[in-house]
Amino acid sequence: MDRARELAERYHFEFVDLRNFGIDRELLQSIPLDLMVKYEFFPLEANHHVLAVAVSDPSALDRLDELEVKLGRRLRVKVAAEGQLRDLLKTAEPSKRVLDEATEDFRATGRMEEQGDGDTLSLESLVEGSERSPMIRLVDSIIFSGLEHRASDIHIESHDNAVVVKNRIDGVLQEAMPPLSQEYQSNLITRIKVMAELDIAERRVPQDGRFRVFYKGRPIDFRVSIMPSINGEDAVLRILDKESLSEKFRQLRLDVLGFPDRELRRLRRFIREPYGMVLVTGPTGSGKTTTLYAAISEIKSDEDKIVTIEDPVEYQLRGITQVPVNEKKGLTFARGLRSILRHDPDKIMVGEIRDNETAQIAIQSALTGHLVFTTVHANNVVDVLSRFLNMGVDSYHFVSALNCILAQRLVRMICDGCKQLATPPRELYEESGLDYGAWREKPVYEGAGCPLCNQTGFRGRSAIGELMALTDPIRELILERRPASELRRVARQEGMVTLRESALEKVCEGVTTLREINKVTFVE
């Protein structure tokens, strides 16, 4: 932003901050999309024959003169930060315009032509690819829009009178486009089946497949699930970006996940133990695997052999042997883990423990000199213990192998572009189990909604967690089958911070909202 201010001052143009800029939808619709992409500008306001535009490079006078001729208007140039301009171009309207135009073409023709490969996706290729089949353009545009909006999944739902496309962004579903007519549902699902190499004639049973696209020069894999419903077939496309869409995950470390320093210090001590088991728990989509990847990234070295078995391999880490589960070919977690132990590893990561056999092998590995990282589905640290005991594992061996249990969740973070002080009603404090008198003086924040966050008030997610160390007193309580309440009481005396307390800390720090933490944690 400082560079943009310097450029504006040097070339005697006005500087504009686009973070809280209100978009003029009618004006935006009147500007040709290909010009916005080619000349990298964003229209701000129009007054008679003068158009105010934001650019990041005011020194390109030839391009600005050329743009004036093409638009047939005199330009009033303002300078904006390059990052803000690109974010606005990505998240505000252009990618949505591509989606809308593809939808209009599709609705106008409603037919499929010869299939293209659809391998490379970019705003430029979609704008210029108008000669391609309307159905191919529609599907490519849906995928591109999902990637641009940081979606983790794309849902295509068949209703009785329409087809609805939604993106899961920061864990919440948001409609990606106006509903499509139901008559095009079959062709839409067929195109996705062709991309995923599935049986297009089979419509009565679920099907799973994969395909790959290239986005911004890197390959991104999609895991496709087709499910029959009473209104046709639904599809969910899970986006598996092995290099991660978020820039901060390029150097994946525990610091970027959002855990407080207090918990990081404790967790780092356990991931550097010579042997034992580090167990992360939580529901689907709570960031368990990402936490384990971050831990492994921190401790990997040329001196250690680290092998993982996962379903699927979500990130690719250099210097680590990663094995994908393939149940169709007989490579299960248990069978793969046995083979890994013959591969002379120092540290092992098991993507998920689902059955007794995998649990027994993982525990034996931890007891025989390996450091094992793994996950299991449970609600909190105490539920993990009963989950393993219900699998039939020996409780003495289990607690001997276990170093720590981390239960975690993800909460959406307030968007920095529209963050503001809020005054929640008294009822919200009471619903949250908080003393209104003690909390009403504390500053809390909410997001008003802006183009950067797609008017949701949230952008990105942060982890919260409760970390229980398996100390000798805790091990004795588990072996004595003492009540969960007593376990939690002793763990808190030893320094464990509960999920709810961790979430409330995030509210006090202005990272998230009370309503958000009420969605992901129980009120104590």
Side-chain angles (χ1 to χ4, degrees):
M1 191 177 291
D2 291 338
R3 173 171 166 71
R5 291 183 190 275
E6 290 173 10
L7 286 172
E9 189 174 340
R10 184 189 309 169
Y11 292 96
H12 305 289
F13 289 121
E14 183 184 342
F15 171 79
V16 60
D17 188 344
L18 297 179
R19 281 180 300 187
N20 298 313
F21 174 71
I23 296 174
D24 186 337
R25 309 282 177 188
E26 290 185 12
L27 173 61
L28 207 55
Q29 290 290 338
S30 69
I31 304 295
L33 180 57
D34 56 339
L35 292 183
M36 291 172 59
V37 173
K38 181 178 179 181
Y39 291 93
E40 292 187 348
F41 75 94
F42 200 87
L44 303 177
E45 58 180 340
N47 188 8
H48 300 296
H49 295 291
V50 179
L51 177 66
V53 297
V55 300
S56 60
D57 183 10
S59 65
L61 299 177
D62 291 344
R63 295 186 68 191
L64 294 174
D65 290 341
E66 189 179 329
L67 182 60
E68 271 192 342
V69 173
K70 288 187 177 293
L71 291 173
R73 301 186 189 185
R74 190 162 62 84
L75 297 183
R76 188 166 81 250
V77 176
K78 300 184 180 184
V79 182
E82 185 178 9
Q84 289 184 2
L85 183 63
R86 285 187 176 170
D87 281 343
L88 205 56
L89 280 169
K90 280 196 308 183
T91 60
E93 286 293 319
S95 61
K96 186 176 184 299
R97 284 266 296 280
V98 167
L99 195 56
D100 290 343
E101 288 174 15
T103 306
E104 286 172 16
D105 291 343
F106 174 63
R107 284 177 169 167
T109 59
R111 57 192 173 85
M112 288 194 67
E113 299 166 7
E114 188 176 350
Q115 306 286 353
D117 56 11
D119 276 345
T120 303
L121 291 180
S122 69
L123 194 55
E124 291 83 356
S125 68
L126 292 171
V127 169
E128 295 164 4
S130 57
E131 73 282 354
R132 304 178 72 193
S133 158
M135 178 57 66
I136 294 174
R137 288 196 74 223
L138 175 67
V139 175
D140 285 358
S141 301
I142 288 171
I143 293 169
F144 175 76
S145 177
L147 290 169
E148 288 287 271
H149 286 87
R150 305 177 299 107
S152 60
D153 305 82
I154 300 170
H155 290 239
I156 298 170
E157 301 174 354
S158 302
H159 296 183
D160 57 348
N161 60 349
V163 179
V164 177
V165 180
K166 298 177 181 178
N167 292 330
R168 186 176 292 281
I169 302 170
D170 295 332
V172 178
L173 286 175
Q174 301 175 18
E175 283 205 6
M177 56 187 283
L180 289 170
S181 174
Q182 172 66 18
E183 65 185 284
Y184 304 124
Q185 178 267 345
S186 178
N187 284 350
L188 179 60
I189 298 295
T190 298
R191 169 59 187 162
I192 293 171
K193 285 182 178 178
V194 168
M195 295 173 72
E197 299 181 350
L198 299 176
D199 184 355
I200 62 173
E202 181 57 75
R203 301 182 178 181
R204 295 161 298 179
V205 296
Q207 295 189 69
D208 296 312
R210 295 170 183 267
F211 66 88
R212 172 177 290 184
V213 300
F214 286 87
Y215 168 74
K216 295 184 177 177
R218 67 177 186 268
I220 296 179
D221 289 335
F222 285 75
R223 189 170 63 190
V224 179
S225 174
I226 307 289
M227 182 75 70
S229 70
I230 58 172
N231 296 312
E233 289 178 294
D234 287 9
V236 174
L237 282 59
R238 165 64 58 88
I239 299 172
L240 302 172
D241 184 355
K242 292 185 174 63
E243 292 185 21
S244 182
L245 294 178
S246 176
E247 290 294 329
K248 68 182 181 180
F249 282 93
R250 293 298 172 88
Q251 295 297 321
L252 188 58
R253 296 180 62 82
L254 290 168
D255 307 82
V256 303
L257 302 180
F259 291 114
D261 291 341
R262 174 192 64 246
E263 300 300 306
L264 285 180
R265 284 193 298 272
R266 297 178 69 212
L267 183 57
R268 282 185 170 127
R269 177 165 59 88
F270 292 118
I271 67 174
R272 288 182 169 83
E273 297 282 355
Y275 57 87
M277 182 184 287
V278 174
L279 189 58
V280 182
T281 185
T284 302
S286 60
K288 302 185 295 295
T289 306
T290 305
T291 298
L292 292 186
Y293 274 125
I296 288 174
S297 295
E298 287 201 3
I299 63 171
K300 69 176 181 177
S301 71
D302 294 336
E303 298 176 353
D304 288 330
K305 175 82 169 183
I306 302 178
V307 186
T308 76
I309 180 162
E310 308 165 55
D311 183 21
V313 174
E314 293 185 23
Y315 300 96
Q316 288 179 337
L317 300 177
R318 285 188 178 89
I320 291 173
T321 303
Q322 294 175 272
V323 181
V325 165
N326 189 339
E327 295 194 355
K328 290 181 181 177
K329 300 293 184 181
L331 179 54
T332 61
F333 275 114
R335 185 173 178 182
L337 187 50
R338 280 202 187 91
S339 298
I340 286 172
L341 291 172
R342 294 193 290 270
H343 215 66
D344 188 28
D346 296 290
K347 298 174 175 62
I348 302 167
M349 173 181 149
V350 184
E352 183 185 345
I353 290 182
R354 299 173 179 170
D355 53 56
N356 172 270
E357 189 178 7
T358 310
Q360 296 282 13
I361 302 169
I363 290 167
Q364 288 302 319
S365 305
L367 289 172
T368 53
H370 301 92
L371 183 60
V372 179
F373 298 87
T374 188
T375 73
V376 70
H377 286 286
N379 287 326
N380 54 55
V381 292
V382 177
D383 288 349
V384 170
L385 304 170
S386 58
R387 179 78 193 275
F388 268 85
L389 296 177
N390 288 338
M391 285 184 193
V393 301
D394 180 76
S395 57
Y396 179 78
H397 288 155
F398 175 54
V399 297
S400 300
L402 207 52
N403 292 347
C404 70
I405 305 172
L406 172 67
Q408 75 173 67
R409 300 288 190 278
L410 295 176
V411 293
R412 290 185 294 169
M413 295 191 295
I414 301 168
C415 173
D416 288 333
C418 56
K419 185 175 180 179
Q420 61 184 25
L421 273 170
T423 52
R426 180 171 187 151
E427 292 77 13
L428 180 58
Y429 287 111
E430 292 172 351
E431 288 171 12
S432 306
L434 302 173
D435 180 6
Y436 177 69
W439 272 78
R440 65 179 176 181
E441 300 300 328
K442 294 183 180 181
V444 293
Y445 296 85
E446 290 180 359
C450 68
L452 285 180
C453 61
N454 201 23
Q455 307 301 327
T456 61
F458 296 97
R459 185 173 172 83
R461 288 189 288 179
S462 180
I464 58 172
E466 59 182 22
L467 179 63
M468 184 168 78
L470 266 289
T471 59
D472 288 339
I474 294 289
R475 286 191 171 100
E476 289 170 9
L477 290 174
I478 295 170
L479 292 173
E480 293 171 7
R481 301 292 179 99
R482 303 304 290 270
S485 57
E486 191 172 345
L487 268 175
R488 293 180 71 83
R489 179 179 58 78
V490 173
R492 291 184 70 174
Q493 288 173 356
E494 295 183 346
M496 184 183 85
V497 176
T498 67
L499 276 171
R500 184 66 179 182
E501 290 167 344
S502 180
L504 288 171
E505 285 179 5
K506 294 285 185 187
V507 175
C508 292
E509 293 166 5
V511 174
T512 190
T513 67
L514 279 173
R515 287 186 176 87
E516 178 66 13
I517 69 165
N518 287 347
K519 287 169 60 177
V520 297
T521 62
F522 286 108
V523 176
E524 293 180 350

